[in-house]
Amino acid sequence: MNRRIAAVTAAATAVLVVAGCSSSSKDGDGDKPGKKQESAAERQAREYREAAEKDRQAMLDAAVRFRKAEIAHDGRAACALKTAEGRFGDSLEKCVDFYKPSKNDKSADEELARATVTVTGDPVDVPAIGNHLAGKGVMVTTQTTGDDGRVNAMRDALRMVKVSGQWMVDQDKEVLDSEMKNSSPVFSALMRSH
């Protein structure tokens, strides 16, 4: 009886060894040579990282679109990217009117052509303050080439919050030169009381 158990165990071990050799290699999974098979936990972690990066990119894209809409005096686009609390005025129409160009402003096309809008640094967590929700703080830098060819830079801290699954601007503060010395200029600007 013991010989029979030993024989069955040896046969099962041989089958597992052969199956193991035929279905995977040192770095492969049998389906694709050279690619390690991903465990369920690894797949879940990868999917989470990919979703988080996609969400982060959506937030940064919304911040840049907002700033470009401001530069273009496009009140409809700018106000559509702002929370109700973050808008100027108590209605959408008053917010749109706020962004209308003055007589001295250059055309929207000319303004946009002279400007380069980028996100500087990484987003930071910002707690709720006043009527502003907790969210992510993002620094948006706008470089504009003047008539004299000189490049001027303006830094804005935007409080980004998610509303119904969409990233929106809840607060917009200029980052002061003095705040650039802080460990987080964005946090400092968005937590300023006035």
Side-chain angles (χ1 to χ4, degrees), residues 77-137:
C79 295
L81 288 165
K82 290 194 94 170
T83 63
E85 294 80 11
R87 289 182 185 146
F88 298 104
D90 56 3
S91 70
L92 180 61
E93 289 309 314
K94 286 184 180 177
C95 179
V96 171
D97 285 344
F98 175 83
Y99 289 104
K100 286 185 177 173
S102 70
K103 292 177 183 176
N104 297 330
D105 287 331
K106 295 177 172 66
S107 74
D109 291 338
E110 188 178 347
E111 293 272 348
L112 279 174
R114 291 175 179 236
T116 302
V117 180
T118 56
V119 173
T120 308
D122 292 320
V124 297
D125 292 326
V126 287
I129 184 173
N131 64 343
H132 297 295
L133 303 170
K136 295 283 188 182

Side-chain angles (χ1 to χ4, degrees), residues 1-14:
M1 185 71 122
N2 285 342
R3 286 184 188 176
R4 190 171 191 194
I5 292 173
V8 169
T9 302
T13 302

Side-chain angles (χ1 to χ4, degrees), residues 24-171:
S24 66
S25 63
K26 180 179 175 187
D27 295 325
D29 67 0
D31 293 338
K32 296 179 183 174
K35 186 173 182 184
K36 182 181 174 188
Q37 187 171 4
E38 188 175 50
S39 72
E42 289 170 332
R43 183 177 62 252
Q44 186 176 18
R46 177 183 51 79
E47 289 171 354
Y48 175 80
R49 283 190 308 272
E50 289 171 355
E53 180 54 32
K54 185 176 178 182
D55 186 58
R56 179 182 180 277
Q57 195 56 53
M59 175 182 60
L60 301 181
D61 290 345
V64 170
R65 282 196 330 268
F66 168 74
R67 186 67 185 112
K68 286 183 175 181
E70 277 189 317
I71 294 166
H73 307 289
D74 185 349
R76 290 255 173 242
C79 295
L81 288 165
K82 290 194 94 170
T83 63
E85 294 80 11
R87 289 182 185 146
F88 298 104
D90 56 3
S91 70
L92 180 61
E93 289 309 314
K94 286 184 180 177
C95 179
V96 171
D97 285 344
F98 175 83
Y99 289 104
K100 286 185 177 173
S102 70
K103 292 177 183 176
N104 297 330
D105 287 331
K106 295 177 172 66
S107 74
D109 291 338
E110 188 178 347
E111 293 272 348
L112 279 174
R114 291 175 179 236
T116 302
V117 180
T118 56
V119 173
T120 308
D122 292 320
V124 297
D125 292 326
V126 287
I129 184 173
N131 64 343
H132 297 295
L133 303 170
K136 295 283 188 182
V138 175
M139 185 185 301
V140 176
T141 302
T142 306
Q143 291 185 319
T144 308
T145 305
D147 293 332
D148 59 0
R150 296 174 81 183
V151 177
N152 300 309
M154 187 172 92
R155 296 175 299 268
D156 291 299
L158 303 181
R159 179 185 297 262
M160 305 298 294
V161 298
K162 234 178 188 181
V163 178
S164 301
Q166 299 295 315
W167 283 104
M168 301 186 83
V169 178
D170 191 58
Q171 185 183 14

